[in-house]
Amino acid sequence: QVQLVESGGGLVQPGGSLRLSCAASGSIFSINAMDWYRQAPGKEREWVASITSHGNTNSADSVKGRFTISRDNAKNTVYLQMNNLKPEDTAVYYCNANIVLTSRATINSWGQGTQVTVSS
């Protein structure tokens, strides 16, 4: 019914930048909160940042001042601008969205993940 597709990951040197995108498609009536999570090798998935449908944002202390979450409601897309990347930011990044379907049912949907590697 709904698909989330992330893009924008890759290999970047420390101090570099990347912009991740996550586009939702399918039987969507509206989208509530959208989030980014990440999972490093051998670690549990951790929350990175959230944005409400009205544009209110919040982020983990580890990324404050470096990562910015934003969204385009017309495109059902959430972004994560990542600046001043550090090796410890290396992880698979996942988007998550709380979606109201055209049936008015609400679901929580995950993307497939995109790899971000920060290394010299």
Side-chain angles (χ1 to χ4, degrees), residues 77-104:
T77 298
V78 62
Y79 305 97
L80 187 68
Q81 177 67 43
M82 306 185 294
N83 298 328
N84 191 22
L85 282 159
K86 304 176 181 181
E88 52 264 42
D89 295 318
T90 295
V92 178
Y93 283 71
Y94 299 89
C95 68
N96 175 273
N98 185 261
I99 298 173
V100 181
L101 302 175
T102 52
S103 66
R104 299 305 189 266

Side-chain angles (χ1 to χ4, degrees), residues 1 27-30 32 98-107:
Q1 286 179 312
S27 303
I28 298 170
F29 175 73
S30 65
N32 297 320
N98 185 261
I99 298 173
V100 181
L101 302 175
T102 52
S103 66
R104 299 305 189 266
T106 300
I107 64 168

